[in-house]
Amino acid sequence: MQDTLNLFVMNIGQWLSANLGTLNNPDQIIVEIARWLRTEFGNWGVVGFILANLMATVPLIAVFSGCFALTTWLERKGLGRIQNRYGPNRVGPYGLFQPMADGIKMLLKEDIVPERADKIGHFLAPVIIMIPAMTGLVFLPIGRNIIAASIDSALLFFFAIGSIVSLSVFMAGWASHNKFSLVGGMRAIAQLVSYEMPLILSAVVVVMFVGSMNTSVIVEAQQIKSWVTSDAPALQCLGQVLGWHVFQPWGLMGFLLLFVSALAEANRSPFDLPEADSEIIAGHLTEYSGFKYALFFLAEYVNTFAIIGICTTLFLGGWNGPNIRPPWSDDPQALLIPGFVWFFLKIFVLMGIMIWIRGTLPRLRIDQLMGFAWKFLLPLAIINLLVAGCFYHMEWYFGWPFSILILCKSYAIVVRLNKSKLVNSNRTYTYA
Amino acid sequence: MNTSTGYAPRNYKIVKHKDKTLLEVAMGPHHPSTHGVFRMDVKLDGETIIDLIPYFGYLHRNHEKLAEDMTYFSTMPYTDRLDYLCSMTNNWAYALTVEKLANISVPERAEYIRVIIGELTRLVNHMLLVGFYINDLGAIGTPLLYALREREKILDLFEWASGARMMCNYLRFGGIREDVSDEWLASCNKLVDAFPYFLDEYDQLLTGNEIVISRSQGVGVLSKELAINAGITGPMLRASGVNYDLRKTDSYSIYDRFNFRVPLGQFGDCYDRFMLRLLEMRESITILKQALRDIPKGEIQSKVPPVLKPKPGEAYGRIESPKGELGFYLVSDGSVNPYRYRVRPPSLINLTLLRDLCIGHKLADTIIIFGSIDIVLGEVDR
Amino acid sequence: MNGQGILKGMLVTAKNFFGSYVSRERLTTVSYPEGGNTIKEQSRNIPFLVFDGEDPVAGMRCTACQKCEKACPPQCIFIEKDKDERGKALQRPKVFDIDASVCMGCQICVEVCPFESIWMDSNFELSTFNRFEGLQFNREKLLKSNTYFHKIHPQQAQASDDRLAEKERKRLEREAARRAEKSASEPQV
Amino acid sequence: MIITFCILSVFIIIGAVSTIRLHNIVYAVFSLMLLFSAIAGIFLLLMAEFVAVAQILIYLGAVGVLILFAVMLTHSVTGSSGKNIYSNGWGWGLLLSLSILFATLLPAIYFSDFPSDPAVEIIEPSVKKLGMEMMHSCVPAMWLIAILLTAALIGGIVIAAPPQKR
């Protein structure tokens, strides 16, 4: 074992000296190291095979759990500041060690399982909720060819995996044998199943335009090729940004629909009925404590990251961002700033918006939630599909006004249809 | 003896209701949004409420029996604990009743300070109600903390005047305990001028909010006749459109000197009750402005014998507390202690209608209807 | 339902979010141990006994008249009169206990006390590990000097000193008047 | 490759047996889910991504949740009835089923001609080609299914909707 190790170290030194000289595309450093490691593991046999697979997945889980810790801190700080108070500022500078403190607290807390709960279901629920959360991350193109698995039907796989969440939430609700969690479980299934329809339909628009469900192809399609390959750096920057789908009329509507149903899929603010703390204490999480609760929490946040990641890849141009081709490099596709910087920036911006929404909006009732999905989001998604189809075949000077007109009109019609008689009759208050 | 037989036997009864099976849930004393210790046994068909039985009495402290063997004066601090959110209006009602019983006159300056304190307490109470109501709706704390931020300023004024933030024990028979300095009046003026900005911010945040509208309009509708028959008083009654405000009808103490308006609702549902509190806050500000403008100098407490022995008789004094008509009924037999001491709690009487308002609505609506009735368990259980 | 209300609401929270970094008025929380605490001059918590001069027991104003014991609503004050060696009752309490866990700080004892001897303290850090020894305040724990009284409640202390001085002056006048009247009646005899 | 295949097939057997044997219906549904996901795994091994995705989406996401809904709404869920699975003639039943299995399976294997070395050319399974195929050759079938599904959906809603009081 000793000689393979120093052989390994010697190779590293050799490789570094060879490559650092040219550095013709700076954002590919990680990809170069990964490719080189994979060739190195190749000749290690079975151990190498396992290590190569781990290399693809372990950094993913580590990075997104780190993002989870950062978002809990961001959320508590953001909500604090919205409510005119400091966020956590005792543990570490500006409270940065607060997620660690929470983690340790969760580890040390006693894990109470109610006496009448059926143990197997109670134990399995957090395990099963981790599977869709983590596998959802596999299809996110974090940087230029930094992706765990770029398979052909990536998007479809993502939505298929997403539907398992409702199963585990119901198992948690059912297994803890508590009336509030039973109600929470039922609400969760109803909500998750009925919000998958708008989610998938608003994502289909992008597949229709790009022609493939492979996420890295979708992200590539969001660059204006002619501008990016031109020489002027300004044009390169604009090429990377203006190509995003969100700047198309159908893209903007699709993005809004996708973001709203993502809020519902991830049980975030206006739709957090499964664990509505003012009505049914903590919904399906009532009987969980200690590390199982932390697992549920981690899975929920990682699930939110996965769905926000899909939002950015589909509409906000995944790792595309205003960066230019480094002048010293000859490779036309090289980029100065690595792609994952933009990807994580967009994720945290969307997360910030979710925190902002959580700080402001109250909760919907269960029947309004259903009504909102089936009578508001779904028709708009279908109309958006129709408009995108026409937009695809029209010239741009016909397409833009047509789609903008149709989308706004349909939004107004659907709003009027949903306005019930008694509700929002604007109230007059007589003064005696 | 371990009764569980491996499978999980049900511990709740499944009640046959025609053909559907009902889930009986105890929204028990240990529930996050019952504003204190209060239990509702709810029969659920899916999410809609079939039957609701309220249980209260968890916070019963035997207040009325206790008062029968204490002197009139030493019961005063206990009235703070009745409706612990607005302690000074309880003192005022009790002091009013004893003054009626022993016909003690109250000097001018004391009357003005009592009105200022009463209206400040009304602001505090309505702010808390609106904050907790939106918190029950689901906005995690943001409107509540804005309300608490404003409430802090008023509690600082109370602490400056009486020495304590919530349990002030500030009013005495025939006036108030300590005079209020001029700086206090100046800072009170500053607060009253700055308050409408907070209310406008609140309006912009909440009243137009679609989710608040769709969740609270048409929920828990209280008709005029039912409200009058059930003896409902206060903002809940006015939300149904009945024009009955003790400050206007009784015009006790010096309320006839201030001109202010009384807002009335139209439908009497949760949204009206919520909006009414916001509008009443604006009216309280107009009263405060007028009171602060023409408060006279002078002594603050009329001569009262240290150990009060009112001649035998009875008296019933009532005021418009932020929750409704708060009344005290005292019977004295000439001795130092009252023979009978009875409190008319507006929260309890408003609570009796909970079952009629909630039936047919969803589980989430009961929390909102309960929140909009504005209950403080200290007053309900006494 | 067309979303304007929600957007307006979001603007308000955004204004508060950025406001909390800028204006003091939007960030009202005070971090307690480090930052200041907002004790007002009149704020009251648990009563204490005032003594003049140096020696606490000698300078005690309290004469054990037990008025406050009778008037206290939750009856949390316990007084025992002091006896000197020959068993004659002294105008001083040997035992003056206040059960701080029962006392609700209602200030009735201060109003009832005719000798300005019991006043309300504004010190609120009273937490102890033991409910019985820690919160049963005996006489030694309750006695505090008049200077301390002037430090925490300057106006009240000044007012009570004026009243005491006034009473002292009236007593001296009565004394002088009685002496004058006695001396006037003396010569005729 | 072989190891994963063995693990998955073990899961399939466990899932299938426990679906039948378990008294508690809720556990039976969960083991059914295990079965479906193991089958999806095997499809993935065969590089048939689209079919694996369809398997997860349809069986695990929809059929599984549907059965859970059905289980939730039935009354005695914890299966306390505990009827005994073993009827006395189980030996003969097993023998009969095995004989039928071999009578049909063996001739099928014997007569069908496998290509000599199976993986001669790996057909490139791509979703695009499947899509094209679906849209071109079997469009009428697509339309038929679409109409059938909408009819079923509307029928479901009509049954579930509360009776409208005229």
CSV table of all heavy atoms in Angstrom, one decimal, chain B residues 3 6 19 21 25 29 48 86 98 143 159 204 230 247 318 358 373:
chain,number,residue,atom,x,y,z
B,3,THR,N,-51.6,-2.9,28.4
B,3,THR,CA,-52.9,-3.3,27.7
B,3,THR,C,-52.6,-3.4,26.2
B,3,THR,O,-53.5,-3.9,25.5
B,3,THR,CB,-53.9,-2.1,27.9
B,3,THR,OG1,-53.2,-0.9,27.4
B,3,THR,CG2,-54.2,-1.9,29.4
B,6,GLY,N,-49.9,-5.5,20.9
B,6,GLY,CA,-49.1,-5.6,19.7
B,6,GLY,C,-49.6,-4.7,18.6
B,6,GLY,O,-49.0,-3.7,18.2
B,19,ASP,N,-73.9,7.9,8.4
B,19,ASP,CA,-73.1,6.8,7.8
B,19,ASP,C,-71.6,7.2,7.9
B,19,ASP,O,-70.8,6.3,7.9
B,19,ASP,CB,-73.4,6.7,6.3
B,19,ASP,CG,-73.4,8.1,5.7
B,19,ASP,OD1,-73.1,9.0,6.5
B,19,ASP,OD2,-73.7,8.2,4.5
B,21,THR,N,-67.9,8.1,9.6
B,21,THR,CA,-67.2,7.9,10.9
B,21,THR,C,-66.6,9.3,11.3
B,21,THR,O,-66.0,10.0,10.4
B,21,THR,CB,-66.1,6.9,10.7
B,21,THR,OG1,-65.2,7.4,9.7
B,21,THR,CG2,-66.6,5.6,10.3
B,25,VAL,N,-61.5,15.0,18.2
B,25,VAL,CA,-60.2,15.5,18.5
B,25,VAL,C,-60.4,16.5,19.7
B,25,VAL,O,-61.3,17.3,19.7
B,25,VAL,CB,-59.6,16.3,17.3
B,25,VAL,CG1,-58.3,16.9,17.6
B,25,VAL,CG2,-59.6,15.5,16.1
B,29,PRO,N,-56.2,21.6,26.4
B,29,PRO,CA,-55.6,22.7,27.1
B,29,PRO,C,-54.2,22.9,26.7
B,29,PRO,O,-53.7,24.1,26.6
B,29,PRO,CB,-55.6,22.3,28.6
B,29,PRO,CG,-56.0,20.9,28.6
B,29,PRO,CD,-56.7,20.5,27.4
B,48,THR,N,-64.4,19.2,8.3
B,48,THR,CA,-65.5,20.1,8.8
B,48,THR,C,-65.9,19.7,10.2
B,48,THR,O,-65.9,18.6,10.6
B,48,THR,CB,-66.7,20.0,7.8
B,48,THR,OG1,-66.9,18.6,7.6
B,48,THR,CG2,-66.4,20.8,6.6
B,86,CYS,N,-55.4,44.2,29.8
B,86,CYS,CA,-55.7,45.6,30.1
B,86,CYS,C,-56.1,45.7,31.5
B,86,CYS,O,-57.2,45.7,31.9
B,86,CYS,CB,-56.8,46.1,29.1
B,86,CYS,SG,-58.0,44.8,28.7
B,98,VAL,N,-67.1,51.2,43.2
B,98,VAL,CA,-67.0,51.6,44.7
B,98,VAL,C,-67.4,53.0,44.9
B,98,VAL,O,-68.1,53.4,45.8
B,98,VAL,CB,-65.6,51.3,45.2
B,98,VAL,CG1,-65.4,51.8,46.6
B,98,VAL,CG2,-65.3,49.8,45.1
B,143,PRO,N,-46.6,40.2,11.9
B,143,PRO,CA,-47.5,41.3,12.4
B,143,PRO,C,-47.6,41.4,13.9
B,143,PRO,O,-47.6,42.4,14.5
B,143,PRO,CB,-48.9,40.9,11.8
B,143,PRO,CG,-48.6,39.8,10.8
B,143,PRO,CD,-47.4,39.2,11.1
B,159,GLU,N,-45.3,52.0,32.9
B,159,GLU,CA,-44.3,51.8,34.0
B,159,GLU,C,-43.9,53.1,34.6
B,159,GLU,O,-43.7,53.3,35.8
B,159,GLU,CB,-43.1,51.0,33.4
B,159,GLU,CG,-42.1,50.6,34.5
B,159,GLU,CD,-40.9,49.8,33.9
B,159,GLU,OE1,-40.8,49.7,32.7
B,159,GLU,OE2,-40.2,49.2,34.7
B,204,GLN,N,-51.6,48.6,5.3
B,204,GLN,CA,-51.0,48.2,4.0
B,204,GLN,C,-50.6,46.7,4.1
B,204,GLN,O,-50.8,46.0,3.1
B,204,GLN,CB,-49.8,49.0,3.7
B,204,GLN,CG,-49.3,48.9,2.3
B,204,GLN,CD,-48.0,49.6,2.2
B,204,GLN,OE1,-47.5,50.3,3.1
B,204,GLN,NE2,-47.3,49.4,1.0
B,230,ALA,N,-77.8,36.8,22.7
B,230,ALA,CA,-76.7,36.1,23.5
B,230,ALA,C,-76.0,37.1,24.4
B,230,ALA,O,-75.1,36.7,25.1
B,230,ALA,CB,-75.7,35.5,22.6
B,247,ARG,N,-69.5,54.0,26.0
B,247,ARG,CA,-69.0,55.3,26.1
B,247,ARG,C,-70.0,56.3,25.6
B,247,ARG,O,-70.0,57.5,26.0
B,247,ARG,CB,-67.7,55.4,25.3
B,247,ARG,CG,-66.6,54.6,25.9
B,247,ARG,CD,-65.3,54.6,25.0
B,247,ARG,NE,-65.6,53.9,23.7
B,247,ARG,CZ,-64.6,53.8,22.8
B,247,ARG,NH1,-63.4,54.3,22.9
B,247,ARG,NH2,-64.9,53.2,21.6
B,318,ARG,N,-70.4,49.8,35.3
B,318,ARG,CA,-69.9,49.1,34.1
B,318,ARG,C,-69.1,50.1,33.2
B,318,ARG,O,-69.5,51.3,33.2
B,318,ARG,CB,-71.0,48.5,33.3
B,318,ARG,CG,-72.1,49.6,32.9
B,318,ARG,CD,-73.2,48.9,32.2
B,318,ARG,NE,-74.2,49.9,31.8
B,318,ARG,CZ,-75.2,49.6,31.0
B,318,ARG,NH1,-75.4,48.4,30.6
B,318,ARG,NH2,-76.0,50.5,30.5
B,358,CYS,N,-68.9,28.1,15.1
B,358,CYS,CA,-67.9,27.2,14.5
B,358,CYS,C,-68.5,26.1,13.7
B,358,CYS,O,-67.9,25.5,12.8
B,358,CYS,CB,-67.0,26.6,15.5
B,358,CYS,SG,-65.9,27.8,16.2
B,373,ILE,N,-62.9,36.3,18.6
B,373,ILE,CA,-63.7,36.7,19.7
B,373,ILE,C,-62.9,37.4,20.8
B,373,ILE,O,-63.5,38.1,21.6
B,373,ILE,CB,-64.4,35.4,20.3
B,373,ILE,CG1,-65.3,34.7,19.2
B,373,ILE,CG2,-65.2,35.7,21.5
B,373,ILE,CD1,-65.9,33.4,19.7
